[in-house]
């Protein structure tokens, strides 16, 4: 694949469909990529000493547009910072990112971000920044359902 763009956002979605980590990794893989970083946020069976039975994610109608805006802004900021430290990336960086909404079971992937780059530092930096910013800025809320029958909203914005 040849491109003149420093970053290719191949996929950025808020979806009800199960997330496929292998498909995300394969989408960003390329012969010029010396590093592929994959983050997968997975539903765990506990939180703060309580057993978790399942989660439900709810998204604001603006979540898809906000996700894309956050991805574009983050990419721009990471590229600008890299520009002051040695110029544009040697080869294109590639991004695949998605957050799942709806009912999720223990072990389901809730959030997947895959980034490829020529070098590991570029891939780690962009992936980490994307994960942090999406979690902080995209209006998606998590409700945990505990195995004792209780529930709570977690880190809801606003």
């Amino acid at each position: 694949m040849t491109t003149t763009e420093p970053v290719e956002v191949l996929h950025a979605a808020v979806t009800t469909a199960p997330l496929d980590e292998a498909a995300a990794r394969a989408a960003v893989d390329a012969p010029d990529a010396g590093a592929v970083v994959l983050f997968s946020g997975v539903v765990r069976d506990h939180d703060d000493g309580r057993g978790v039975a399942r989660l439900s994610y709810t998204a604001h109608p603006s979540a898809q547009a906000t996700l894309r805006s956050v991805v574009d802004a983050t990419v721009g900021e990471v590229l600008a910072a890299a520009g002051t430290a040695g110029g544009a990336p040697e080869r294109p960086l590639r991004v695949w990112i998605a957050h799942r909404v709806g009912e999720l079971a223990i072990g389901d992937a809730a959030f997947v971000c895959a980034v490829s780059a020529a070098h590991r530092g570029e891939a780690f930096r962009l992936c980490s920044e994307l994960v942090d910013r999406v979690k902080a800025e995209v209006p998606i809320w998590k409700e945990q359902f505990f195995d004792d029958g209780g529930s709570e909203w977690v880190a809801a914005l606003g």
Side-chain angles (χ1 to χ4, degrees):
M1 177 185 300
T2 303
T3 182
T4 59
E5 294 298 317
V7 178
E8 294 179 77
V9 179
L10 303 169
H11 182 80
V14 175
T15 181
T16 58
L19 302 180
D20 184 341
E21 298 150 349
R25 187 202 186 289
V28 300
D29 204 7
D32 63 356
V36 175
V37 173
L38 175 72
F39 168 81
S40 183
V42 179
V43 179
R44 65 180 179 265
D45 68 356
H46 67 281
D47 186 44
D48 201 25
R50 295 175 77 183
V52 172
R54 62 185 173 86
L55 299 181
S56 178
Y57 284 93
T58 303
H60 187 273
S62 68
Q64 175 67 44
T66 303
L67 173 71
R68 187 55 199 237
S69 293
V70 167
V71 169
D72 290 344
T74 303
V75 162
E77 291 165 16
V78 167
L79 288 177
T84 62
E90 179 182 326
R91 297 281 192 249
L93 284 77
R94 293 168 189 86
V95 174
W96 190 106
I97 189 166
H99 200 302
R100 188 171 171 198
V101 294
E103 299 290 321
L104 280 76
I106 304 305
D108 285 349
F111 181 29
V112 172
C113 181
V115 175
S116 69
H119 303 285
R120 71 180 178 275
E122 295 169 323
F124 273 113
R125 192 168 23 264
L126 182 53
C127 188
S128 178
E129 197 62 32
L130 284 167
V131 169
D132 289 346
R133 293 276 301 272
V134 166
K135 295 300 283 181
E137 298 177 33
V138 177
I140 297 174
W141 304 283
K142 175 171 71 173
E143 186 176 12
Q144 293 188 121
F145 295 89
F146 297 104
D147 53 11
D148 65 9
S151 68
E152 73 179 3
W153 289 93
V154 180
L157 300 174

